[in-house]
């Protein structure tokens, strides 16, 4: 049943701008700043007021049951968060101000909240304060601990208390926590739930942004305000829980370097049929090119797959891939689940964004889109900007000297490690390595940078195991050794992968195996595994890093 609930303070304001029905809110144009298969967050502007619109493309039954178990009724995540924000406001806890929430007749839900003015992501705030004095950093750490303690003392938990959901106003250092869609209020909050919240924040905050002393000052302030000063083992419990959280890829992603604002934001020009990145739209002067609109609205008939080169502003070139497919079973499955079916191009775009979050340079995504042309018939397209001035790794090695080989080997190993942390693999194929890994010579006399020029050959896996890691190491090492380099130099590759300056004794069996595999193959992968050696290398896997 369609309904909309509006904050009384903003009812007249929203009515003046024609926002009275659920469809009015769901159709607001804006910039997508984060997305999931069934929902996304969009930055919108209503009469000069900047707000965040959370759209749910569908409301799963499990979400309604979770809301009922929390005491909110059979509601969506959006409406549950609106009710939580009201309760937080009454309890005196700083939180975003909700404007409207509701659902339409198609089962789509939404929540419109006022944007926190001047709020910076905690990671950005701490990165800007790296040069601050230790005393100033301790003062902010204590302020953060006191703010978290007040939230828990009011009875609210926060299962999504990660670093990106903590916003800080830089001048007054006011702390506001956002994203309360899974929060629940209890009469007394257990220490297990408190520990879980604090551990997630601890896990998603990189070591270089907060020293152990800063974290300890935050915990002491939390315990002082929380009234439980005798919980001395809480720090160890938080650390153990944080290590378990780091086995999850989305948690590890948030420990990476913070991207510049707007580099992974999409603008829905024509719904999901035409999505353009903010940077590319700015390069085009705010106007979508005619050829891009034509790709988003294809004709009824045409070739199944086309790849063309198009000109873009700045005397650059882009690659346009258009595809037509007939997917009746996928269409039926998407209809039953009431969620969009991703096309290969949409999955490709998501993979580019994921690799970039791990600091891996890839072709730049410019636009993507997909549209159903009928029952089971889908059209999709993808526009990317290839990396200019890059050559294949093997080609560069054959004609190069040994000037950069040590640094380059370590960079190649570090690149492979980031690739595995992102849940991807070369599939153990040397051909994929030769086609994917590129070198970019920015300036003469500087160390070339490594990048991935083609991600279509990558294999996506949730957590690469030891067999996958060893095969990829062998494939990368074989490409490097094929250029005529000294075999012992391949140890640099392993050191770069491990992130070490010197090889530890527990990893020496792996080094001997690697040197054997790229030369005469006297010892196979199953023989290495049967010897029990991988037990000493469990720290190589992304989950055990």
């Amino acid at each position: 049943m369609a309904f909309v609930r509006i904050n009384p303070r903003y009812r007249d304001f929203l009515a003046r701008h024609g926002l009275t029905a659920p469809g009015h809110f769901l159709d607001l144009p804006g910039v997508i700043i984060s997305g999931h298969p069934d929902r996304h967050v969009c930055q919108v502007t209503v009469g000069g007021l900047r707000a965040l619109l959370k759209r749910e493309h569908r409301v799963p039954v499990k979400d309604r049951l979770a809301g009922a178990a929390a005491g909110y009724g059979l509601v969506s995540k959006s409406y549950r968060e609106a009710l939580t924000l009201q309760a937080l406001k009454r309890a005196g806890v700083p939180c975003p101000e909700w404007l409207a929430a509701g659902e339409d007749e198609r089962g789509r839900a939404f929540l419109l909240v006022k944007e926190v003015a001047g709020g910076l992501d905690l990671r950005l705030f701490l990165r800007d304060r790296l040069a601050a004095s230790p005393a100033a950093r301790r003062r902010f750490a204590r302020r953060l601990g006191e703010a978290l303690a007040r939230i828990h003392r009011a009875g609210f938990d926060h299962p999504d208390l990660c670093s990106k959901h903590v916003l800080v106003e830089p001048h007054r250092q006011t702390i506001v926590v956002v994203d309360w869609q899974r929060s629940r209020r209890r009469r007394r909050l257990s220490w297990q739930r408190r520990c879980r919240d604090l551990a997630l924040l601890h896990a998603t905050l990189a070591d270089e942004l907060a020293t152990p002393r800063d974290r300890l000052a935050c915990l002491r302030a939390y315990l002082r305000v929380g009234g439980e000063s005798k919980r001395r083992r809480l720090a160890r419990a938080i650390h153990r829980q944080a290590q378990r959280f780091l086995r999850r890829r989305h948690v590890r992603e948030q420990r990476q370097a913070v991207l510049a604002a707007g580099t992974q934001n999409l603008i829905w020009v024509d719904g999901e049929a035409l999505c353009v990145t903010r940077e590319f739209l700015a390069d085009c002067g705010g106007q979508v090119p005619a050829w891009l609109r034509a790709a988003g609205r294809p004709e009824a008939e045409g070739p199944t797959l086309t790849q063309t080169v198009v000109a873009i502003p700045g005397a650059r070139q882009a690659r346009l891939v258009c595809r037509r497919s007939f997917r009746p079973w996928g269409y039926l499955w998407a209809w039953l689940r009431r969620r969009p079916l991703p096309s290969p191009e949409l999955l490709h775009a998501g993979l580019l964004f994921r690799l970039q979050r791990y600091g891996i340079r890839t072709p730049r995504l410019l636009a993507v889109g997909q549209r159903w042309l009928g029952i089971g018939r889908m059209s999709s397209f993808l526009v990317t900007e290839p990396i200019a001035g890059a050559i294949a790794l093997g080609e560069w090695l054959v004609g190069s000297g040994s000037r950069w080989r040590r640094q380059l080997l370590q960079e190649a190993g570090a690149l492979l490690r980031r690739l595995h942390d992102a849940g991807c693999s070369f599939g153990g194929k040397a051909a994929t390595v030769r086609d994917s890994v590129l070198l970019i010579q920015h300036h003469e006399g500087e160390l070339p940078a490594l990048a991935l020029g083609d991600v279509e050959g990558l294999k996506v896996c949730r957590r690469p195991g030891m067999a996958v890691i060893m095969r990829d190491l062998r494939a990368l090492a074989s490409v490097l050794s094929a250029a005529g380099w000294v075999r012992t130099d391949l140890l640099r590759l392993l050191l770069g992968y491990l992130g070490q300056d010197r090889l530890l004794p527990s990893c020496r069996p792996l080094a001997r195996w690697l040197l054997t595999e790229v030369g005469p193959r006297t010892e196979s992968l199953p023989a290495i595994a049967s010897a029990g050696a991988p037990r000493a290398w469990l720290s190589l896997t992304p989950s055990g890093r």
Side-chain angles (χ1 to χ4, degrees), residues 240-427:
R240 288 193 298 267
Q241 182 70 25
Q243 295 303 310
R244 289 191 288 269
F245 278 133
L246 286 174
R247 299 175 184 174
R248 305 176 184 178
R249 179 179 57 81
H250 73 276
V251 175
R252 296 195 302 271
E253 279 186 4
Q254 298 182 49
R255 290 180 63 89
Q256 307 303 315
V258 182
L259 295 171
T263 56
Q264 292 195 353
N265 293 343
L266 290 173
I267 299 175
W268 279 24
V269 179
D270 187 14
E272 198 177 33
L274 178 54
C275 306
V276 186
T277 61
R278 178 186 285 179
E279 289 180 320
F280 181 55
L281 192 60
D283 292 341
C284 297
Q287 300 294 327
V288 179
W291 60 266
L292 187 55
R293 288 192 178 276
R297 292 184 174 274
E299 299 179 357
E301 299 295 336
T304 304
L305 180 64
T306 60
Q307 300 186 29
T308 57
V309 177
V310 295
I312 60 176
R316 307 193 310 269
Q317 291 183 335
R319 178 170 174 257
L320 170 62
V321 178
C322 298
R323 184 191 306 268
R324 293 176 181 274
S325 57
F326 181 59
R327 309 174 67 182
W329 298 113
Y331 179 87
L332 177 61
W333 181 239
W335 180 79
L336 292 174
R337 301 173 68 196
R338 292 193 300 166
R339 63 188 304 177
L341 177 68
S343 62
E345 282 64 39
L346 194 62
L347 294 176
H348 191 140
L351 182 58
L352 290 177
F353 275 175
R354 183 200 298 186
L355 294 175
Q356 290 168 8
R357 286 194 291 269
Y358 279 88
I360 300 175
R361 183 167 180 177
T362 64
R364 190 164 68 109
L365 175 65
L366 303 181
V368 65
Q370 64 180 28
R371 179 192 297 273
W372 288 105
L373 301 177
I375 298 179
R377 299 186 180 278
M378 173 188 285
S379 70
S380 57
F381 75 92
L382 176 72
V383 184
T384 57
E385 182 183 357
I387 300 175
I391 62 175
L393 175 64
E395 179 183 347
W396 187 88
L397 292 178
V398 170
S400 68
S402 59
R403 180 178 183 183
W404 302 113
R405 73 168 184 263
R406 291 186 177 182
Q407 297 93 324
L408 189 59
L409 282 168
Q410 291 188 342
E411 287 295 324
L415 174 69
L416 181 59
R417 181 56 186 254
R418 291 195 297 270
L419 186 69
H420 286 164
D421 286 344
C424 300
S425 165
F426 288 124

Side-chain angles (χ1 to χ4, degrees), residues 221-237:
Y222 176 90
L223 293 174
R224 183 174 62 255
V225 176
E228 294 285 348
S229 59
K230 59 183 179 180
R231 295 275 177 172
R232 297 183 178 179
R233 297 184 180 179
L234 187 61
R236 294 182 180 179

Side-chain angles (χ1 to χ4, degrees), residues 123-138:
R123 298 169 297 176
L124 284 172
F125 176 78
L126 293 179
R127 188 184 66 180
D128 295 341
R129 290 176 57 86
L130 288 177
S133 65
R137 296 174 61 87
R138 303 288 188 279

Side-chain angles (χ1 to χ4, degrees), residues 53-269:
L53 176 64
K54 299 187 177 183
R55 292 192 186 106
E56 292 184 69
H57 311 314
R58 69 183 186 99
V59 182
V61 176
K62 65 176 184 179
D63 289 347
R64 296 192 185 274
L65 295 178
Y72 296 97
L74 297 173
V75 298
S76 63
K77 282 184 177 180
S78 300
Y79 193 65
R80 175 179 174 177
E81 184 173 0
L83 297 176
T84 304
L85 292 177
Q86 294 182 55
L88 288 166
K89 199 73 172 179
R90 290 193 296 267
V93 177
C95 63
E97 192 170 14
W98 75 284
L99 304 179
E103 295 183 30
D104 67 354
E105 62 279 356
R106 295 167 53 186
R108 299 180 301 170
F110 73 92
L111 170 66
L112 185 66
V113 296
K114 188 177 179 181
E115 191 175 61
V116 179
L120 284 180
D121 183 327
L122 179 62
R123 298 169 297 176
L124 284 172
F125 176 78
L126 293 179
R127 188 184 66 180
D128 295 341
R129 290 176 57 86
L130 288 177
S133 65
R137 296 174 61 87
R138 303 288 188 279
R139 284 196 298 270
F140 174 76
R142 288 191 289 269
R143 184 188 294 268
L144 177 60
E146 293 169 356
L148 298 177
R150 283 192 289 269
I151 292 174
H152 285 166
R153 286 192 64 179
F156 295 93
D157 67 345
H158 198 307
D160 301 311
L161 187 62
C162 48
S163 54
K164 68 177 182 179
H165 292 157
V166 180
L167 303 183
V168 184
E169 199 281 323
H171 301 292
R172 294 182 297 177
Q173 296 188 6
T174 304
I175 298 171
V176 178
V177 181
V178 299
D179 274 34
W180 295 88
Q181 68 270 8
R182 293 205 300 154
S183 176
R184 182 173 180 177
R185 191 176 190 181
R186 293 172 173 82
R187 182 172 299 178
R188 180 175 176 82
L189 197 61
S190 66
W191 277 97
Q192 287 77 10
R193 297 186 183 276
R194 296 187 182 205
C195 178
R196 183 194 182 282
D197 292 355
L198 298 176
L200 182 58
L201 181 61
H202 175 59
T204 55
L205 203 58
D207 295 336
E208 59 268 18
L209 297 180
T211 65
R213 288 183 176 272
D214 295 338
R215 299 172 192 261
L216 185 59
C218 178
L219 181 59
R220 286 175 174 171
Y222 176 90
L223 293 174
R224 183 174 62 255
V225 176
E228 294 285 348
S229 59
K230 59 183 179 180
R231 295 275 177 172
R232 297 183 178 179
R233 297 184 180 179
L234 187 61
R236 294 182 180 179
I238 291 174
H239 180 72
R240 288 193 298 267
Q241 182 70 25
Q243 295 303 310
R244 289 191 288 269
F245 278 133
L246 286 174
R247 299 175 184 174
R248 305 176 184 178
R249 179 179 57 81
H250 73 276
V251 175
R252 296 195 302 271
E253 279 186 4
Q254 298 182 49
R255 290 180 63 89
Q256 307 303 315
V258 182
L259 295 171
T263 56
Q264 292 195 353
N265 293 343
L266 290 173
I267 299 175
W268 279 24
V269 179

